[in-house]
Amino acid sequence: MSDLKIEQYEYIEKLKRIVKNNYLETPSFCVVTFGCQMNAKDSEKLAGILELVGFREIIDENAADIVIFNTCTVRENANNRLYGRIGQLKTSFYKNENKIIGICGCMMQEKSEVEYVKKKYPYVKLIFGTFNLFKFAEILYEVISKDKKVYEVIDKPIEIVENLPMKNKYSFKCGVNIMYGCNNFCSYCIVPYVRGRERSRNADDIIDEIKLHIKNGVKEIMLLGQNVNSYGNDLKDEKCSFKDILLRVSNIEGLYRLRFMTSHPKDFSYDLIDVIKKSKTICKHIHLPVQSGSNKILNSMNRKYTREHYLDIINHIKSEIENISITTDIIVGYPTETEDDFNDTIDLIKQVEFDSVFTFKYSKREGTKAALMDGHIADDIVSKRFDRLLEVVREIADKKTKQYIGIESEALIEDIEIDKKMFVGRLDNNYLVYFPMSKKNIGDVVRVRLKEAHNFYFVGEEIV
Ligand code: SAH
Ligand code: SF4
Ligand code: F3S
């Protein structure tokens, strides 16, 4: 066991005692998560520690004794949303002065944001960043035992601390980091600055974690990394590529479904296609962000692939795996984007016929290369392009989903919705299907027939 891990378990024990002594009733916590799957995973680690030391989870941040905001800074609107929420908590803080409000995550890796919080929201008691999240127990202990504020952000990772507590949000599915950080420095993106360089986890640690999840009833695993295709490049003691780890995980006994996110086109290796095609567990869905269809923009974005290379990958995937679902991310209004560049993006989307497209208006992030570029695009132009893009995406989704009507497929029931009369299930290809409730439960796998298509989801019926 690493020293850092032993130390944290000692703090967990100390916290258990102090929580028992300090609170008359079981205190509550609420972790509010912004951003991507990595943050969702980090929040599960925070929740795991909080629960282990004696707090119970509630969803009302106003009522909770501890609220932790796990932040994202990838686009500016994520920042604005956070400050709105923290401002709203002021009243509940002054009603309960023992309330602990904390902020962590990517935004706190930016010095200017920490300064802003200090000045504007003095009632925030703890701040930590992405690199010292594993020290949460220690930081919380300092705050509770000494009744003081702790603001601790470090600017580099220390080591990967394995096997800290974790409380999965869902009983039937969970994300598992295979790596942390990113080396790519796409010119618009803040992630490499707030998450550091790529660090791959040891394959055995990944496998052990997944086996444990499966033992606890998890059916679907999603392997997580900002660029999963470069998994293993930095491993010193072993040789293991993304394809290797994908194969190993896909063969773990008891696993029903395996997904992974996110693939980067520059590192996407063609031999992966065969692995996905032959596997019973790997889902027939690939999320492959293209960002733009213009070579000029792709080059300026530092994406390191061309439109032609991207289309070549897609053609290979489609010709090898029938009915595979392909999704992507697009940024609209990147500096210097002309009408022609944007039309290239629209054209690429029409050629590929993505099942779904996550669309983002370019957001200027201080510290990135693109922020310093000339040629920022006016908001009204960006909005117009964005609306045009959505229209195209919707038309394609409409056409694609109609092709699936009548098909039978397996769905993993994830949720209950619409006045509790419908199950929400996820298909292998990542589409959602709504169907009337039966005696089955969340987490069960059922066969469904797809009856109606609604752009990005289906309505169906269970086949009994
Ligand atoms: N590592 C992943 C994506 C992480 S961020 C990848 O490379 O694909 C998720 C998405 O947010 C990106 O794919 C991009 O489309 C979008 N994004 C990142 N920075 C952005 C910015 N400054 N403005 C608008 N969208 C951005
Ligand atoms: Fe950001 Fe690019 Fe890294 Fe993705 S690959 S996280 S977009 S820098
Ligand atoms: Fe946001 Fe950090 Fe993820 S900036 S997108 S939460 S890595």
Side-chain angles (χ1 to χ4, degrees), residues 239-457:
K239 265 205 158 12
C240 185
S241 67
F242 178 58
K243 184 185 144 197
D244 300 333
I245 190 75
L246 190 66
L247 260 175
R248 272 187 76 180
V249 175
S250 68
N251 289 322
I252 295 179
E253 208 180 302
L255 179 65
Y256 170 61
R257 272 182 189 167
L258 179 60
R259 301 183 186 277
F260 54 90
M261 189 134 144
T262 301
S263 300
H264 194 304
K266 90 178 159 67
D267 298 315
F268 188 91
S269 75
Y270 285 71
D271 52 1
L272 261 190
I273 301 175
D274 200 47
V275 173
I276 299 170
K277 183 179 173 180
K278 290 189 178 136
S279 169
K280 284 209 175 79
T281 45
I282 305 173
C283 290
K284 304 297 174 275
H285 167 224
I286 294 181
H287 182 62
L288 196 62
V290 64
Q291 314 297 359
S292 168
S294 148
N295 279 338
K296 180 194 100 193
I297 297 292
L298 286 173
N299 185 38
S300 172
M301 283 177 164
N302 193 30
R303 290 290 289 180
K304 299 201 172 78
Y305 54 84
T306 59
R307 163 196 179 90
E308 290 73 25
H309 179 55
Y310 186 87
L311 287 170
D312 192 57
I313 301 174
I314 298 293
N315 288 338
H316 268 83
I317 297 174
K318 281 189 174 171
S319 65
E320 285 294 319
I321 312 174
E322 213 187 332
N323 281 334
I324 188 157
S325 147
I326 301 174
T327 55
T328 201
D329 293 349
I330 298 279
I331 296 178
V332 182
Y334 176 85
T336 74
E337 184 188 73
T338 61
E339 250 346 88
D340 281 350
D341 296 320
F342 178 67
N343 285 333
D344 283 347
T345 300
I346 296 279
D347 181 72
L348 180 135
I349 289 174
K350 285 184 176 166
Q351 268 195 55
V352 177
E353 297 198 316
F354 291 104
D355 291 77
S356 178
V357 180
F358 296 88
T359 48
F360 305 105
K361 290 182 184 170
Y362 168 75
S363 172
K364 182 175 173 182
R365 308 316 287 136
E366 289 309 332
T368 63
K369 270 199 174 153
L372 300 172
M373 282 172 65
D374 291 333
H376 282 260
I377 312 290
D379 288 350
D380 57 331
I381 298 181
V382 178
S383 292
K384 277 194 191 122
R385 288 184 190 161
F386 190 80
D387 291 346
R388 259 179 71 200
L389 176 72
L390 283 190
E391 197 46 48
V392 173
V393 170
R394 232 176 258 132
E395 268 168 32
I396 296 172
D398 195 37
K399 180 177 154 197
K400 291 219 82 167
T401 44
K402 280 199 177 109
Q403 293 168 357
Y404 291 108
I405 292 180
I407 279 179
E408 289 180 16
S409 185
E410 279 184 1
L412 174 60
I413 304 175
E414 291 200 341
D415 206 354
I416 296 172
E417 276 254 345
I418 315 176
D419 299 331
K420 305 218 181 278
K421 288 200 185 93
M422 301 286 254
F423 277 139
V424 187
R426 192 174 295 274
L427 305 174
D428 169 288
N429 59 13
N430 212 34
Y431 278 101
L432 292 178
V433 54
Y434 291 70
F435 56 99
M437 282 178 73
S438 63
K439 281 191 184 141
K440 297 283 183 352
N441 289 309
I442 288 182
D444 285 345
V445 175
V446 293
R447 275 200 82 73
V448 289
R449 186 176 297 111
L450 308 180
K451 287 169 58 181
E452 291 168 35
H454 293 257
N455 270 334
F456 301 104
Y457 68 92

Side-chain angles (χ1 to χ4, degrees), residues 47-61:
I49 289 174
L50 285 162
E51 202 164 85
L52 189 62
V53 302
F55 288 82
R56 79 195 147 86
E57 187 163 22
I58 60 170
I59 47 170
D60 180 1
E61 64 207 52

Side-chain angles (χ1 to χ4, degrees), residues 182 184-186 188-189 191-192 226-227 264 291 303:
C182 179
N184 292 314
F185 289 94
C186 301
Y188 50 82
C189 185
V191 171
Q226 291 296 356
N227 173 10
H264 194 304
Q291 314 297 359
R303 290 290 289 180

Side-chain angles (χ1 to χ4, degrees), residues 106-160:
C106 296
M107 234 173 112
M108 294 301 103
Q109 288 300 137
E110 295 175 285
K111 287 196 177 72
S112 56
E113 299 297 341
V114 174
E115 288 309 313
Y116 186 77
V117 173
K118 276 187 192 164
K119 224 175 24 207
K120 286 266 184 176
Y121 307 99
Y123 48 93
V124 169
K125 282 199 184 144
L126 65 140
I127 291 180
F128 53 99
T130 58
F131 300 130
N132 58 350
L133 183 123
F134 73 91
K135 278 178 79 181
F136 176 55
E138 181 178 343
I139 294 170
L140 188 60
Y141 175 76
E142 294 289 309
V143 172
I144 298 184
S145 68
K146 299 182 183 146
D147 193 22
K148 65 171 193 179
K149 287 183 189 170
V150 178
Y151 293 175
E152 187 185 309
V153 180
I154 53 175
D155 57 11
K156 267 196 211 83
I158 306 174
E159 66 178 75
I160 299 177

